[in-house]
Amino acid sequence: QVQLVESGGGLVQLGGSLRLSCAASGIIFSIIDVDWYRQAPGKEREWVSSIGPGGSTSYVDSVKGRFTISRDNAKNTVYLQMNSLKLEDTAVYYCSAQPLASSKTYWGQGTQVTVSS
């Protein structure tokens, strides 16, 4: 059974940093793409970043230069390091992944990130 568990969210001041974690079971992160999404109140879920099996990364323009996605294959965990946080980064952050040979995308339960001034 595939399970994704996010952690690391919290309340942080403007300009601060947080590191989110997404730990997986029942799925091998090292051989698939893993994504981070976020959903702010009243807004649609937005793709934030991805990391591929070879380590390639991509980011939405609004977080480029501030967020870094990485992966620890030994821990089967993907991270999202978030620096220079802005008020507009406030959202629930989700990780997602789709196993090979599967049409289903799995999601974690989300972790709340709140940036305060």
Side-chain angles (χ1 to χ4, degrees), residues 82-101:
M82 307 186 297
N83 299 328
S84 302
L85 283 162
K86 303 178 179 181
L87 295 178
E88 54 264 40
D89 294 320
T90 295
V92 178
Y93 285 72
Y94 301 89
C95 64
S96 72
Q98 183 173 344
L100 294 178

Side-chain angles (χ1 to χ4, degrees), residues 42-74:
K43 294 188 177 181
E44 294 190 354
R45 192 169 295 189
E46 171 192 38
W47 171 79
V48 175
S49 181
S50 295
I51 186 165
S56 61
T57 60
S58 55
Y59 302 91
V60 67
D61 285 347
S62 60
V63 308
K64 283 181 181 176
R66 301 188 298 120
F67 290 12
T68 303
I69 191 171
S70 62
R71 184 176 59 217
D72 185 332
N73 291 337

Side-chain angles (χ1 to χ4, degrees), residues 10-68:
L11 178 64
V12 63
Q13 287 194 329
L14 189 64
S17 298
L18 283 174
R19 188 178 80 156
L20 306 183
S21 300
C22 174
S25 58
I27 190 171
I28 302 174
F29 269 174
S30 63
I31 60 174
I32 58 174
D33 293 338
V34 180
D35 303 303
W36 283 99
Y37 285 77
R38 66 186 178 185
Q39 187 165 19
K43 294 188 177 181
E44 294 190 354
R45 192 169 295 189
E46 171 192 38
W47 171 79
V48 175
S49 181
S50 295
I51 186 165
S56 61
T57 60
S58 55
Y59 302 91
V60 67
D61 285 347
S62 60
V63 308
K64 283 181 181 176
R66 301 188 298 120
F67 290 12
T68 303

